[in-house]
């Protein structure tokens, strides 16, 4: 704390920040007392992080909490943090409270759910409660889930439809396209063998001083497909619903509903743990999809892929997206062999270790390497990047794998 404060920052403001960071126990050296708004913020932080009265400032491990198990006190605390902190910080603090204090049981009370700031992680916690949720809470929980789903759809749906519509239109080639429908990039690539030198230029230089000036004769024109209502591609989302995949399940449900709304795609959504559940008939409402899942339990990827394989009728026009951390509890070698068989049949097979904003999770590296060995790289994908991944898969192009992928 002996370093000079940043330019433009007053010494008392620097002490205030240190006091807020360190908490009451670790802040004796600051000599700064908190009042008003700052004191209220500090009280909310203390209730969550400093209840154990251990030295060393906030964020230390093994700290007990000061909220207790009282629903009224927790409800007041939830109201306080929404008053004093921005929504992203509120969501982090709520998540910490659930993890550190075991507040999941209190979320079964409607008044508690009405006080929380909805986010993807809260939805995952609610879904994990599953059948333990009483009927008096279920409608409130659906309202919380609905708000999160609607927010995600507003953020993701329009861009996803636009990106995939473009990919579908370009993947359908017209045999005799009109001039305005010609895809010139593909046409040139398809006719490079028809390159000829221009008369009088062989062995010499062009007027611009370049050797070998010539032209490509477009014997075969390649065009963009005309938009129609026929189904062009089949998409199967195969989603691991083990507890660690909660955020991915939420995003997959939203994307599944968006894809199902596109008439040129036939979309199927399959979720699995040790059992396999086909939720395709509920894709018109992602909230129904989410309440049809059951987070937690084991994992049998091989069984899930076997089910998906049995539903493929047009391998060359099918994209299978496996969303899983690849920790297989079923037949380990069977899962890899089945994925290889689908790819060999013409299926475009994509493996996402996560579909969330949280980066790459813990995953089975041996299985990821086995999939990569026959051309199926496994990588984590953010929701904002998912449309580009799907567009590449539909168009038969190399997948845009983020730099952080394995």
């Amino acid at each position: 704390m002996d370093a000079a404060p940043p330019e433009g920052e007053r010494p008392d403001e620097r002490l205030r920040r240190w006091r807020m960071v360190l908490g009451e126990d670790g802040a004796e050296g600051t000599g700064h007392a908190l009042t008003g708004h700052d004191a209220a913020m500090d009280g909310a932080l203390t209730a969550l992080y400093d209840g154990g009265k251990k030295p060393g400032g906030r964020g230390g491990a093994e700290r007990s909490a000061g909220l207790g198990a009282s629903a009224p006190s927790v409800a007041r605390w939830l109201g306080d943090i929404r008053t004093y902190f921005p929504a992203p910080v509120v969501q982090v603090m709520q998540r910490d409270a659930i993890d550190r204090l075991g507040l999941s049981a209190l979320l079964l009370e409607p008044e508690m759910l009405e006080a929380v700031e909805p986010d993807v992680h809260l939805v995952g916690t609610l879904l994990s409660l599953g059948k333990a949720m009483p009927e008096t809470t279920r409608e409130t929980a659906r309202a919380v889930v609905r708000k999160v789903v609607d927010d995600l759809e507003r953020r993701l749906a329009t861009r996803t439809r636009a990106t995939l519509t473009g990919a579908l239109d370009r993947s359908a080639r017209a045999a005799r396209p009109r001039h305005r429908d010609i895809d010139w990039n593909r046409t040139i690539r398809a006719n490079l063998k028809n390159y000829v030198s221009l008369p009088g230029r062989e062995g010499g230089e062009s007027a611009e001083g370049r050797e070998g000036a010539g032209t490509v004769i477009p014997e075969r024109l390649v065009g963009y497909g005309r938009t129609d209502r026929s189904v062009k591609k089949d998409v199967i989302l195969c989603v691991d619903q083990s507890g660690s995949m909660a955020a991915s399940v939420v995003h997959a449900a939203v994307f599944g509903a968006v894809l199902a709304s596109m008439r040129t795609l036939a979309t199927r959504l399959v979720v699995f743990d040790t059992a396999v559940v086909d939720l395709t008939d509920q894709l018109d409402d992602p909230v129904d999809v989410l309440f049809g899942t059951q987070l937690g339990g084991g994992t049998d990827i091989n069984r899930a892929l076997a089910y998906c394989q049995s539903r493929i009728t047009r391998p060359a026009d099918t994209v299978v997206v496996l969303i899983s951390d690849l920790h297989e509890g079923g037949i380990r070698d069977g899962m890899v062999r089945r994925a290889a068989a689908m790819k060999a049949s013409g299926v475009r097979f994509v493996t996402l270790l996560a579909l969330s904003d949280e980066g790459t999770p813990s995953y089975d590296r041996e299985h990821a390497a086995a999939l990569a060995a026959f051309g199926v790289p496994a990588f984590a994908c953010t929701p904002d990047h998912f449309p580009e991944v799907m567009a590449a898969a539909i168009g038969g192009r190399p997948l845009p794998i983020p730099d952080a992928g394995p």
Side-chain angles (χ1 to χ4, degrees):
M1 295 182 60
D2 295 329
E7 185 177 351
E9 182 179 86
R10 298 179 304 173
D12 58 340
E13 173 62 16
R14 184 165 176 255
L15 291 174
R16 169 186 170 273
R17 290 175 178 272
W18 272 112
R19 169 62 181 82
M20 295 293 289
V21 169
L22 294 172
E24 183 178 359
D25 289 343
E28 290 87 349
T30 66
H32 189 89
L34 299 177
T35 59
H37 187 275
D38 286 348
M41 291 176 64
D42 188 64
L45 291 166
T46 297
L48 175 58
Y49 298 109
D50 292 352
K53 300 296 181 184
K54 292 186 179 181
R58 292 199 167 108
E62 309 286 340
R63 303 178 69 85
S64 61
L67 290 174
S70 164
S73 67
V74 174
R76 284 194 299 272
W77 178 79
L78 287 168
D80 287 345
I81 65 174
R82 294 177 76 174
T83 299
Y84 300 125
F85 300 97
V89 177
V90 170
Q91 292 168 3
V92 171
M93 293 178 71
Q94 285 178 172
R95 200 181 319 160
D96 286 347
I98 291 171
D99 293 341
R100 296 164 68 102
L101 311 182
L103 296 185
S104 297
L106 293 179
L107 294 178
L108 299 177
E109 301 182 24
E111 60 271 21
M112 285 290 297
L113 280 177
E114 292 171 356
V116 297
E117 182 74 24
D119 70 343
V120 169
H121 300 282
L122 180 63
V123 170
T125 300
L126 293 175
L127 297 179
S128 69
L129 296 174
K131 296 179 181 178
M133 188 178 297
E135 287 301 320
T136 55
T137 306
R138 192 167 293 274
E139 286 307 310
T140 306
R142 286 186 70 89
V144 171
V145 174
R146 173 71 64 191
K147 183 178 187 306
V148 174
V149 166
D150 288 348
D151 288 346
L152 287 174
E153 283 191 307
R154 280 192 293 271
R155 168 186 158 193
L156 301 170
T158 300
R159 180 164 162 267
T160 299
R161 292 191 185 100
T163 301
L164 297 192
T165 297
L168 287 163
D169 289 346
R170 284 160 177 76
S171 69
R173 300 186 180 188
R176 294 183 179 180
R178 294 175 296 182
H179 185 271
R180 68 182 182 183
D181 292 330
I182 295 174
D183 183 339
W184 287 108
N185 288 332
R186 283 183 173 174
T187 296
I188 291 171
R189 287 198 299 270
N191 291 277
L192 286 176
K193 64 176 183 278
N194 300 323
Y195 175 88
V196 295
S197 299
L198 293 176
R201 301 291 174 87
E202 292 185 357
E205 292 188 352
S206 67
E208 293 81 11
R210 293 190 302 270
E211 293 186 1
T215 188
V216 172
I217 299 175
E219 290 182 351
R220 182 168 70 89
L221 298 177
V222 180
Y224 298 120
R226 300 290 301 279
T227 302
D228 58 45
R229 298 193 176 195
S230 62
V231 173
K232 296 176 181 176
K233 296 288 182 179
D234 298 334
V235 175
I236 301 176
L237 301 178
C238 185
V239 187
D240 184 343
Q241 63 175 352
S242 58
S244 61
M245 301 295 294
S248 297
V249 171
V250 176
H251 288 113
V254 172
F255 277 118
V258 173
L259 298 181
S261 71
M262 300 179 64
R263 295 184 178 181
T264 50
L265 292 177
T267 303
R268 182 177 296 274
L269 177 64
V270 177
V271 298
F272 66 92
D273 43 33
T274 53
V276 179
V277 181
D278 193 327
L279 297 175
T280 303
D281 61 350
Q282 299 179 39
L283 276 176
D284 58 329
D285 188 347
V287 176
D288 286 341
V289 169
L290 290 172
F291 277 93
T293 64
Q294 185 173 339
L295 292 176
T299 308
D300 194 336
I301 305 173
N302 182 58
R303 175 178 289 188
L305 292 182
Y307 177 84
C308 295
Q309 190 175 26
S310 71
R311 295 300 183 268
I312 295 173
T313 58
R314 306 188 304 159
D317 293 315
T318 299
V319 178
V320 173
V321 183
L322 172 64
I323 304 174
S324 173
D325 56 16
L326 302 180
H327 288 296
E328 173 66 301
I331 304 174
R332 293 178 61 86
D333 293 339
M335 180 267 287
V336 175
R337 286 197 301 269
R338 200 173 294 279
M342 279 192 274
K343 186 174 187 299
S345 71
V347 170
R348 190 69 193 272
F349 199 97
V350 179
T351 302
L352 302 181
L353 301 171
L355 179 55
S356 72
D357 289 307
E358 299 183 349
T360 306
S362 169
Y363 65 97
D364 189 309
R365 294 180 179 274
E366 182 179 342
H367 279 148
L371 292 171
F374 58 84
V376 180
F379 56 97
C381 177
T382 65
D384 288 329
H385 193 58
F386 184 73
E388 281 71 30
V389 170
M390 288 301 300
I394 287 171
R397 296 182 282 107
L399 298 178
I401 301 173
D403 292 338

